[in-house]
Amino acid sequence: MSAPGVAVAANKMAGWSIAIGILMIVAGLLAIAMPLEAGFAVNIFLGWMLLFAAAAHLIFAWSTRGAGNVIWKVLLGILYACAGIYLLEHPTRGLKTLTLALAFYLLIEGVMELMLYFGHRPGAGSGWFLFDGIVTLILGVMVWLTWPSSAEWVIGTLVGCSILFSGVTRLMLSLAARHVVTKLA
């Protein structure tokens, strides 16, 4: 492919990436504006992913060697299936369960970040571990103390923020790539 052809193809790809970035920004803003609906969407998505993972474990259980491996794969498949069915059949309880799991995750991550800080304290930039640990612990405590009422907004809001910032990042990188391609062409 010639240099102008490569530039046209790269410019086209950057255009698609810009469009995806804009869609992600819109989706993130919608999730933040409607956190309960976004939380239910996450709950349903996770429920289906657990069911697909359960099917994969059950299918691959028969291709493993040894009775112990087969039993573990089958048990994992059954566990995943039960969790997925629970999330899909009881979306409100599933959302509360996910919020509680998020609180535990944030608390454990905050403690781990503080441990990293104390392990790397003499090193340059170790203060960021301390900052991250404190912020993560505060978030975990806030979710924990407001649970179960926080289940209505926490998951959807956090996922919305993540999608929004990922969309902004993708948009900015795509615009920069398009600018470089335009300069080279």
Side-chain angles (χ1 to χ4, degrees):
M1 189 180 274
S2 66
V6 170
V8 169
N11 208 9
K12 185 176 179 181
M13 291 303 294
W16 278 107
S17 189
I18 289 169
I20 291 170
I22 292 169
L23 286 174
M24 289 175 71
I25 291 169
V26 170
L29 290 172
L30 284 172
I32 292 168
M34 300 183 304
L36 182 60
E37 291 82 357
F40 282 132
V42 168
N43 185 68
I44 291 167
F45 178 77
L46 186 58
W48 278 106
M49 289 300 102
L50 285 168
L51 287 178
F52 289 134
H57 273 284
L58 293 173
I59 290 168
F60 291 119
W62 308 117
S63 66
T64 58
R65 307 231 182 220
N69 289 335
V70 171
I71 291 171
W72 280 115
K73 292 264 187 212
V74 168
L75 288 175
L76 274 175
I78 292 170
L79 176 66
Y80 283 18
C82 290
I85 290 168
Y86 173 80
L87 290 177
L88 293 172
E89 286 188 356
H90 308 286
T92 302
R93 282 191 249 159
L95 194 55
K96 289 179 182 178
T97 303
L98 289 176
T99 304
L100 187 60
L102 176 66
F104 282 128
Y105 169 79
L106 291 171
L107 291 170
I108 292 168
E109 182 186 0
V111 169
M112 298 300 277
E113 292 290 339
L114 291 176
M115 290 170 57
L116 278 170
Y117 165 71
F118 288 113
H120 293 87
R121 191 170 17 171
S126 64
W128 288 107
F129 287 126
L130 178 64
F131 176 74
D132 187 18
I134 290 170
V135 169
T136 304
L137 273 176
I138 290 170
L139 285 171
V141 168
M142 287 172 54
V143 172
W144 174 269
L145 291 178
T146 60
W147 186 84
S149 64
S150 61
E152 296 178 359
W153 62 269
V154 167
I155 300 290
T157 302
L158 292 178
V159 167
C161 288
S162 177
I163 293 170
L164 173 66
F165 286 109
S166 294
V168 169
T169 301
R170 182 181 195 100
L171 177 63
M172 293 299 119
L173 289 172
S174 300
L175 289 171
R178 178 177 262 182
H179 180 71
V180 168
V181 168
T182 305
K183 272 187 155 182
L184 293 176

